[in-house]
PDB file of all heavy atoms in Angstrom:
ATOM      1  N   GLY A 709     158.552  91.136  95.075  1.00 85.00           N
ATOM      2  CA  GLY A 709     159.902  90.703  94.694  1.00 85.00           C
ATOM      3  C   GLY A 709     159.890  89.671  93.585  1.00 85.00           C
ATOM      4  O   GLY A 709     160.697  89.732  92.654  1.00 85.00           O
ATOM      5  N   VAL A 710     158.968  88.734  93.661  1.00 86.00           N
ATOM      6  CA  VAL A 710     158.851  87.731  92.594  1.00 86.00           C
ATOM      7  C   VAL A 710     158.489  88.399  91.276  1.00 86.00           C
ATOM      8  O   VAL A 710     159.024  88.050  90.215  1.00 86.00           O
ATOM      9  CB  VAL A 710     157.815  86.649  92.989  1.00 86.00           C
ATOM     10  CG1 VAL A 710     157.438  85.789  91.803  1.00 86.00           C
ATOM     11  CG2 VAL A 710     158.359  85.786  94.110  1.00 86.00           C
ATOM     12  N   GLY A 711     157.612  89.395  91.315  1.00 81.00           N
ATOM     13  CA  GLY A 711     157.253  90.128  90.099  1.00 81.00           C
ATOM     14  C   GLY A 711     158.442  90.854  89.500  1.00 81.00           C
ATOM     15  O   GLY A 711     158.631  90.859  88.278  1.00 81.00           O
ATOM     16  N   ILE A 712     159.256  91.462  90.342  1.00 83.00           N
ATOM     17  CA  ILE A 712     160.451  92.156  89.853  1.00 83.00           C
ATOM     18  C   ILE A 712     161.420  91.163  89.225  1.00 83.00           C
ATOM     19  O   ILE A 712     161.991  91.416  88.154  1.00 83.00           O
ATOM     20  CB  ILE A 712     161.115  92.951  91.002  1.00 83.00           C
ATOM     21  CG1 ILE A 712     160.232  94.142  91.376  1.00 83.00           C
ATOM     22  CG2 ILE A 712     162.501  93.424  90.609  1.00 83.00           C
ATOM     23  CD1 ILE A 712     160.672  94.866  92.621  1.00 83.00           C
ATOM     24  N   VAL A 713     161.614  90.016  89.853  1.00 87.00           N
ATOM     25  CA  VAL A 713     162.519  89.004  89.316  1.00 87.00           C
ATOM     26  C   VAL A 713     161.999  88.458  87.993  1.00 87.00           C
ATOM     27  O   VAL A 713     162.759  88.306  87.023  1.00 87.00           O
ATOM     28  CB  VAL A 713     162.739  87.866  90.337  1.00 87.00           C
ATOM     29  CG1 VAL A 713     163.451  86.686  89.709  1.00 87.00           C
ATOM     30  CG2 VAL A 713     163.521  88.385  91.530  1.00 87.00           C
ATOM     31  N   PHE A 714     160.703  88.174  87.906  1.00 83.00           N
ATOM     32  CA  PHE A 714     160.132  87.680  86.645  1.00 83.00           C
ATOM     33  C   PHE A 714     160.324  88.684  85.523  1.00 83.00           C
ATOM     34  O   PHE A 714     160.679  88.329  84.405  1.00 83.00           O
ATOM     35  CB  PHE A 714     158.650  87.363  86.802  1.00 83.00           C
ATOM     36  CG  PHE A 714     158.360  86.040  87.422  1.00 83.00           C
ATOM     37  CD1 PHE A 714     157.128  85.790  87.998  1.00 83.00           C
ATOM     38  CD2 PHE A 714     159.299  85.026  87.450  1.00 83.00           C
ATOM     39  CE1 PHE A 714     156.842  84.566  88.574  1.00 83.00           C
ATOM     40  CE2 PHE A 714     159.035  83.804  88.026  1.00 83.00           C
ATOM     41  CZ  PHE A 714     157.804  83.572  88.590  1.00 83.00           C
ATOM     42  N   CYS A 715     160.087  89.950  85.824  1.00 79.00           N
ATOM     43  CA  CYS A 715     160.247  90.993  84.809  1.00 79.00           C
ATOM     44  C   CYS A 715     161.696  91.083  84.362  1.00 79.00           C
ATOM     45  O   CYS A 715     161.980  91.160  83.168  1.00 79.00           O
ATOM     46  CB  CYS A 715     159.775  92.331  85.360  1.00 79.00           C
ATOM     47  SG  CYS A 715     159.861  93.657  84.162  1.00 79.00           S
ATOM     48  N   TYR A 716     162.615  91.049  85.296  1.00 83.00           N
ATOM     49  CA  TYR A 716     164.031  91.143  84.932  1.00 83.00           C
ATOM     50  C   TYR A 716     164.483  89.919  84.147  1.00 83.00           C
ATOM     51  O   TYR A 716     165.205  90.034  83.158  1.00 83.00           O
ATOM     52  CB  TYR A 716     164.897  91.315  86.181  1.00 83.00           C
ATOM     53  CG  TYR A 716     166.367  91.348  85.841  1.00 83.00           C
ATOM     54  CD1 TYR A 716     166.926  92.481  85.270  1.00 83.00           C
ATOM     55  CD2 TYR A 716     167.177  90.251  86.069  1.00 83.00           C
ATOM     56  CE1 TYR A 716     168.266  92.516  84.939  1.00 83.00           C
ATOM     57  CE2 TYR A 716     168.515  90.273  85.739  1.00 83.00           C
ATOM     58  CZ  TYR A 716     169.052  91.413  85.180  1.00 83.00           C
ATOM     59  OH  TYR A 716     170.382  91.441  84.846  1.00 83.00           O
ATOM     60  N   ARG A 717     164.057  88.740  84.572  1.00 84.00           N
ATOM     61  CA  ARG A 717     164.486  87.516  83.885  1.00 84.00           C
ATOM     62  C   ARG A 717     163.931  87.427  82.462  1.00 84.00           C
ATOM     63  O   ARG A 717     164.552  86.834  81.597  1.00 84.00           O
ATOM     64  CB  ARG A 717     164.067  86.283  84.678  1.00 84.00           C
ATOM     65  CG  ARG A 717     164.670  86.184  86.066  1.00 84.00           C
ATOM     66  CD  ARG A 717     166.050  85.693  86.023  1.00 84.00           C
ATOM     67  NE  ARG A 717     166.055  84.338  85.487  1.00 84.00           N
ATOM     68  CZ  ARG A 717     166.944  83.449  85.762  1.00 84.00           C
ATOM     69  NH1 ARG A 717     167.907  83.738  86.573  1.00 84.00           N
ATOM     70  NH2 ARG A 717     166.903  82.258  85.223  1.00 84.00           N
ATOM     71  N   SER A 718     162.764  88.004  82.227  1.00 78.00           N
ATOM     72  CA  SER A 718     162.175  87.900  80.892  1.00 78.00           C
ATOM     73  C   SER A 718     162.677  88.974  79.939  1.00 78.00           C
ATOM     74  O   SER A 718     162.766  88.743  78.745  1.00 78.00           O
ATOM     75  CB  SER A 718     160.655  87.952  80.979  1.00 78.00           C
ATOM     76  OG  SER A 718     160.245  89.205  81.452  1.00 78.00           O
ATOM     77  N   SER A 719     163.010  90.163  80.456  1.00 73.00           N
ATOM     78  CA  SER A 719     163.395  91.255  79.555  1.00 73.00           C
ATOM     79  C   SER A 719     164.776  91.830  79.823  1.00 73.00           C
ATOM     80  O   SER A 719     165.231  92.685  79.074  1.00 73.00           O
ATOM     81  CB  SER A 719     162.372  92.382  79.654  1.00 73.00           C
ATOM     82  OG  SER A 719     162.399  92.958  80.935  1.00 73.00           O
ATOM     83  N   ARG A 720     165.421  91.425  80.893  1.00 78.00           N
ATOM     84  CA  ARG A 720     166.718  91.958  81.298  1.00 78.00           C
ATOM     85  C   ARG A 720     166.680  93.451  81.597  1.00 78.00           C
ATOM     86  O   ARG A 720     167.655  94.161  81.439  1.00 78.00           O
ATOM     87  CB  ARG A 720     167.794  91.683  80.236  1.00 78.00           C
ATOM     88  CG  ARG A 720     168.116  90.241  80.051  1.00 78.00           C
ATOM     89  CD  ARG A 720     168.795  89.714  81.287  1.00 78.00           C
ATOM     90  NE  ARG A 720     169.169  88.309  81.084  1.00 78.00           N
ATOM     91  CZ  ARG A 720     169.081  87.417  82.022  1.00 78.00           C
ATOM     92  NH1 ARG A 720     168.663  87.748  83.207  1.00 78.00           N
ATOM     93  NH2 ARG A 720     169.443  86.180  81.815  1.00 78.00           N
ATOM     94  N   VAL A 721     165.500  93.932  81.991  1.00 77.00           N
ATOM     95  CA  VAL A 721     165.321  95.323  82.377  1.00 77.00           C
ATOM     96  C   VAL A 721     164.733  95.347  83.777  1.00 77.00           C
ATOM     97  O   VAL A 721     163.779  94.627  84.065  1.00 77.00           O
ATOM     98  CB  VAL A 721     164.372  96.062  81.404  1.00 77.00           C
ATOM     99  CG1 VAL A 721     164.118  97.479  81.870  1.00 77.00           C
ATOM    100  CG2 VAL A 721     164.935  96.048  80.006  1.00 77.00           C
ATOM    101  N   ILE A 722     165.304  96.172  84.636  1.00 79.00           N
ATOM    102  CA  ILE A 722     164.759  96.335  85.982  1.00 79.00           C
ATOM    103  C   ILE A 722     163.554  97.260  85.873  1.00 79.00           C
ATOM    104  O   ILE A 722     163.687  98.419  85.486  1.00 79.00           O
ATOM    105  CB  ILE A 722     165.802  96.920  86.944  1.00 79.00           C
ATOM    106  CG1 ILE A 722     167.006  95.994  87.036  1.00 79.00           C
ATOM    107  CG2 ILE A 722     165.196  97.155  88.312  1.00 79.00           C
ATOM    108  CD1 ILE A 722     168.173  96.596  87.774  1.00 79.00           C
ATOM    109  N   ASN A 723     162.380  96.735  86.169  1.00 77.00           N
ATOM    110  CA  ASN A 723     161.155  97.517  86.063  1.00 77.00           C
ATOM    111  C   ASN A 723     160.965  98.315  87.346  1.00 77.00           C
ATOM    112  O   ASN A 723     160.472  97.798  88.341  1.00 77.00           O
ATOM    113  CB  ASN A 723     159.962  96.605  85.800  1.00 77.00           C
ATOM    114  CG  ASN A 723     158.692  97.375  85.599  1.00 77.00           C
ATOM    115  OD1 ASN A 723     158.695  98.596  85.564  1.00 77.00           O
ATOM    116  ND2 ASN A 723     157.594  96.662  85.466  1.00 77.00           N
ATOM    117  N   LEU A 724     161.335  99.566  87.296  1.00 78.00           N
ATOM    118  CA  LEU A 724     161.193 100.408  88.476  1.00 78.00           C
ATOM    119  C   LEU A 724     159.778 100.928  88.649  1.00 78.00           C
ATOM    120  O   LEU A 724     159.498 101.641  89.606  1.00 78.00           O
ATOM    121  CB  LEU A 724     162.190 101.568  88.403  1.00 78.00           C
ATOM    122  CG  LEU A 724     163.654 101.127  88.403  1.00 78.00           C
ATOM    123  CD1 LEU A 724     164.570 102.314  88.230  1.00 78.00           C
ATOM    124  CD2 LEU A 724     163.993 100.382  89.680  1.00 78.00           C
ATOM    125  N   ALA A 725     158.878 100.587  87.744  1.00 79.00           N
ATOM    126  CA  ALA A 725     157.471 100.957  87.873  1.00 79.00           C
ATOM    127  C   ALA A 725     156.668  99.841  88.533  1.00 79.00           C
ATOM    128  O   ALA A 725     155.447  99.906  88.582  1.00 79.00           O
ATOM    129  CB  ALA A 725     156.889 101.286  86.504  1.00 79.00           C
ATOM    130  N   GLN A 726     157.331  98.826  89.059  1.00 81.00           N
ATOM    131  CA  GLN A 726     156.643  97.700  89.681  1.00 81.00           C
ATOM    132  C   GLN A 726     155.849  98.145  90.913  1.00 81.00           C
ATOM    133  O   GLN A 726     154.722  97.715  91.111  1.00 81.00           O
ATOM    134  CB  GLN A 726     157.668  96.633  90.078  1.00 81.00           C
ATOM    135  CG  GLN A 726     157.076  95.340  90.533  1.00 81.00           C
ATOM    136  CD  GLN A 726     156.688  94.463  89.366  1.00 81.00           C
ATOM    137  OE1 GLN A 726     157.191  94.625  88.282  1.00 81.00           O
ATOM    138  NE2 GLN A 726     155.785  93.561  89.597  1.00 81.00           N
ATOM    139  N   GLY A 727     156.411  99.011  91.701  1.00 81.00           N
ATOM    140  CA  GLY A 727     155.708  99.502  92.887  1.00 81.00           C
ATOM    141  C   GLY A 727     154.483 100.319  92.531  1.00 81.00           C
ATOM    142  O   GLY A 727     153.468 100.273  93.243  1.00 81.00           O
ATOM    143  N   GLU A 728     154.544 101.053  91.433  1.00 84.00           N
ATOM    144  CA  GLU A 728     153.398 101.840  91.012  1.00 84.00           C
ATOM    145  C   GLU A 728     152.266 100.943  90.514  1.00 84.00           C
ATOM    146  O   GLU A 728     151.100 101.298  90.618  1.00 84.00           O
ATOM    147  CB  GLU A 728     153.808 102.848  89.942  1.00 84.00           C
ATOM    148  CG  GLU A 728     154.438 104.109  90.503  1.00 84.00           C
ATOM    149  CD  GLU A 728     155.801 103.878  91.139  1.00 84.00           C
ATOM    150  OE1 GLU A 728     156.435 102.859  90.848  1.00 84.00           O
ATOM    151  OE2 GLU A 728     156.221 104.735  91.930  1.00 84.00           O
ATOM    152  N   THR A 729     152.598  99.795  89.963  1.00 81.00           N
ATOM    153  CA  THR A 729     151.569  98.838  89.581  1.00 81.00           C
ATOM    154  C   THR A 729     150.825  98.364  90.830  1.00 81.00           C
ATOM    155  O   THR A 729     149.595  98.305  90.852  1.00 81.00           O
ATOM    156  CB  THR A 729     152.197  97.635  88.854  1.00 81.00           C
ATOM    157  OG1 THR A 729     152.914  98.111  87.735  1.00 81.00           O
ATOM    158  CG2 THR A 729     151.159  96.641  88.421  1.00 81.00           C
ATOM    159  N   TYR A 730     151.574  98.060  91.861  1.00 81.00           N
ATOM    160  CA  TYR A 730     150.988  97.647  93.131  1.00 81.00           C
ATOM    161  C   TYR A 730     150.157  98.792  93.726  1.00 81.00           C
ATOM    162  O   TYR A 730     149.046  98.593  94.208  1.00 81.00           O
ATOM    163  CB  TYR A 730     152.105  97.215  94.074  1.00 81.00           C
ATOM    164  CG  TYR A 730     151.658  96.821  95.436  1.00 81.00           C
ATOM    165  CD1 TYR A 730     150.933  95.664  95.635  1.00 81.00           C
ATOM    166  CD2 TYR A 730     151.965  97.602  96.543  1.00 81.00           C
ATOM    167  CE1 TYR A 730     150.517  95.294  96.896  1.00 81.00           C
ATOM    168  CE2 TYR A 730     151.559  97.246  97.801  1.00 81.00           C
ATOM    169  CZ  TYR A 730     150.834  96.087  97.975  1.00 81.00           C
ATOM    170  OH  TYR A 730     150.421  95.729  99.207  1.00 81.00           O
ATOM    171  N   MET A 731     150.693 100.009  93.637  1.00 86.00           N
ATOM    172  CA  MET A 731     149.987 101.167  94.173  1.00 86.00           C
ATOM    173  C   MET A 731     148.691 101.419  93.420  1.00 86.00           C
ATOM    174  O   MET A 731     147.655 101.699  94.027  1.00 86.00           O
ATOM    175  CB  MET A 731     150.897 102.406  94.091  1.00 86.00           C
ATOM    176  CG  MET A 731     150.284 103.702  94.539  1.00 86.00           C
ATOM    177  SD  MET A 731     149.589 104.804  93.280  1.00 86.00           S
ATOM    178  CE  MET A 731     150.742 104.805  91.979  1.00 86.00           C
ATOM    179  N   GLY A 732     148.726 101.305  92.099  1.00 85.00           N
ATOM    180  CA  GLY A 732     147.525 101.558  91.300  1.00 85.00           C
ATOM    181  C   GLY A 732     146.406 100.588  91.605  1.00 85.00           C
ATOM    182  O   GLY A 732     145.240 100.977  91.736  1.00 85.00           O
TER     183      GLY A 732
END
Side-chain angles (χ1 to χ4, degrees):
V710 167
I712 290 171
V713 169
F714 279 160
C715 183
Y716 177 75
R717 298 281 297 208
S718 65
S719 65
R720 294 292 183 218
V721 176
I722 300 170
N723 184 5
L724 297 176
Q726 189 82 22
E728 278 68 20
T729 303
Y730 177 69
M731 177 263 317

